Amino acid sequence: MRRMNGEINRLVHGFAAVQGLHPTDVHALAAILDAEEPMTPTRLRERLGLTSGAVTACLDRLERAGHVRRVRESADRRVVHLYYEQQAQPAARRHFAPLADAARAARATLAPGELAVVLRFLDAMNEELSTTRPPRD
């Protein structure tokens, strides 16, 4: 898993460099894209473990680069929703296509029962990791 994480980070860093972003910005994009409901700056801060100032700087970079749009909620103007801009997504799809291809190729080597076990393990790991925080010294 450490090796896989390193390879994914290599792709993340490459995309960040090509787009003129920080790797944290790419993690923010993924969080916005994967959110089941509109992401807010507060939820993004909690998800990434950043300060509010760091999230603001990240969102400013992403907005300037054309990757994210901030939309004020009409019912409560204090609430801001974050959206991944549609026109920015093809660049990410092209860059991360090798990752998707690798996942398809690896998945093809597994029998359906094996794949079910792997998916259960990955779901369990993601659930555990989502609540894990590093110790603060």
Side-chain angles (χ1 to χ4, degrees):
M1 288 185 63
R2 186 173 32 248
R3 181 175 171 205
M4 181 176 62
N5 186 53
E7 294 300 329
I8 291 171
N9 277 335
R10 181 178 53 81
L11 289 169
V12 166
H13 284 257
F15 182 74
V18 167
Q19 296 294 313
L21 301 172
H22 187 278
T24 300
D25 302 344
V26 181
H27 292 292
L29 282 174
I32 293 166
L33 185 63
D34 293 343
E36 293 180 9
E37 55 191 42
M39 182 62 78
T40 65
T42 299
R43 287 199 358 256
L44 186 62
R45 179 183 58 76
E46 292 165 355
R47 171 99 167 109
L48 299 179
L50 299 174
T51 65
S52 59
V55 167
T56 298
C58 171
L59 292 173
D60 288 346
R61 286 189 299 271
L62 288 170
E63 198 169 41
R64 273 193 310 273
H67 288 277
V68 166
R69 146 176 72 91
R70 295 171 180 154
V71 176
R72 294 212 176 268
E73 175 62 41
S74 61
D76 183 348
R77 301 285 297 157
R78 295 171 297 175
V79 176
V80 175
H81 289 158
L82 308 171
Y83 296 96
Y84 196 161
E85 286 287 10
Q86 292 289 334
Q87 73 271 10
Q89 292 180 17
R93 281 192 200 100
R94 277 192 307 278
H95 186 87
F96 290 102
L99 177 60
D101 293 343
R104 272 191 294 279
R107 190 174 54 238
T109 68
L110 300 172
E114 293 173 315
L115 182 58
V117 170
V118 170
L119 291 175
R120 256 192 357 259
F121 171 75
L122 292 174
D123 283 343
M125 277 296 292
N126 284 330
E127 190 61 35
E128 290 294 325
L129 290 172
S130 73
T131 61
T132 302
R133 299 291 175 254
R136 296 195 184 250
D137 296 333

